[in-house]
Amino acid sequence: MKIICIGRNYAKHIEELANERPLEPVIFMKPDSAVLLKNNPFIIPPYSEDIHYEVEILVKINRTGKFIESEFAHKYYDEIGLGIDFTARDLQTKLKEKGLPWEKAKAFDGSAVIGNFLPVSKLDLSNIKFQLFKNSELVQDGESSHMLWKIDDLIAYVSQYFTLKIGDVLFTGTPAGVGKVMPNDTLEGVLEGEKMFQIKVK
């Protein structure tokens, strides 16, 4: 299982972090050890003082593919989910300043929340609506129509570089509103009105 993540896919999130708008999708990876086990809390790691939540639409790959064309990409998934890409923002900032890879900031153990999935038949893929609540307060409110690169385009792009296999999960980027988590926070993700995950922070 691969966790393939897309960065800088929402214009307002690019603006809030004062990043440069990319000309093509930004790809990074997380190992399977990054997956936060079901019903486990997220434990803030000791090497960061600024862990941010980033809620994202997830796509679960259901068949093997390479060099997939956008017009056929819809055949490679039939479920859409919701998750969190936890980011050690302080580490990421230092790594970016030195031109180094992001893995220590993005791919650490427990950094990937993979919630429930819904069949695509229940969704309007042209505009999937999703939210993240922190301690019952809305902090991120996203719509897939705001993606710079849509799901099928991302699958086509990623498959140029990596063979997609059954069970791989694609994180499609986060909208604006990212922020810091603290011990005892509760994070709840909602996709089209359905709760997809709820986790505690310790």
Side-chain angles (χ1 to χ4, degrees):
M1 171 192 178
K2 296 190 294 297
I3 302 171
I4 305 162
C5 303
I6 304 299
R8 304 180 187 176
N9 199 24
Y10 288 82
K12 290 185 178 180
H13 174 59
I14 294 171
E15 292 171 8
E16 74 177 345
L17 295 185
N19 285 323
E20 181 180 345
R21 183 165 173 159
L23 298 178
E24 55 188 30
V26 174
I27 301 174
F28 61 94
M29 312 281 279
K30 291 178 183 269
D32 56 6
S33 58
V35 177
L36 184 66
L37 297 179
K38 292 286 185 182
N39 302 317
N40 279 19
F42 172 75
I43 299 174
I44 297 174
Y47 41 79
S48 175
E49 297 181 354
D50 194 20
I51 297 290
H52 281 205
Y53 55 78
E54 298 186 7
V55 72
E56 308 198 10
I57 290 173
L58 310 184
V59 181
K60 186 187 294 183
I61 301 301
N62 66 0
R63 61 191 291 188
T64 299
K66 177 73 173 173
F67 296 118
I68 302 164
E69 296 182 25
S70 291
E71 62 186 299
F72 301 119
H74 66 278
K75 297 183 177 181
Y76 289 82
Y77 63 96
D78 54 20
E79 291 181 293
I80 298 291
L82 198 67
I84 295 178
D85 164 25
F86 279 116
T87 302
R89 193 71 71 199
D90 46 0
L91 288 183
Q92 186 188 37
T93 298
K94 292 176 183 177
L95 293 166
K96 285 165 60 178
E97 288 173 349
K98 296 178 180 178
L100 297 173
W102 297 355
E103 274 77 6
K104 287 193 292 185
K106 285 280 195 180
F108 56 89
D109 290 354
S111 63
V113 174
I114 297 178
N116 296 331
F117 286 82
L118 297 175
V120 297
S121 59
K122 295 185 64 175
L123 301 168
D124 174 6
L125 296 183
S126 67
N127 194 21
I128 305 168
K129 297 179 180 180
F130 59 106
Q131 295 85 31
L132 182 71
F133 294 84
K134 184 175 79 166
N135 304 326
S136 300
E137 177 185 353
L138 178 64
V139 289
Q140 287 189 275
D141 191 7
E143 299 180 17
S144 64
S145 62
H146 295 163
M147 289 180 177
L148 301 180
W149 290 278
K150 309 308 185 204
I151 290 172
D152 290 355
D153 295 332
L154 290 174
I155 288 174
Y157 183 82
V158 168
S159 73
Q160 295 180 53
Y161 301 93
F162 310 106
T163 298
L164 296 177
K165 295 187 176 182
I166 296 170
D168 287 350
V169 176
L170 176 66
F171 279 62
T172 59
T174 194
V178 302
K180 184 175 181 177
V181 295
M182 299 291 289
N184 300 316
D185 282 346
T186 297
L187 300 173
E188 180 177 297
V190 175
L191 182 75
E192 290 293 351
E194 294 199 32
K195 185 166 76 172
M196 307 301 281
F197 62 79
Q198 180 174 307
I199 61 168
K200 291 286 291 183
V201 178
K202 291 187 176 181

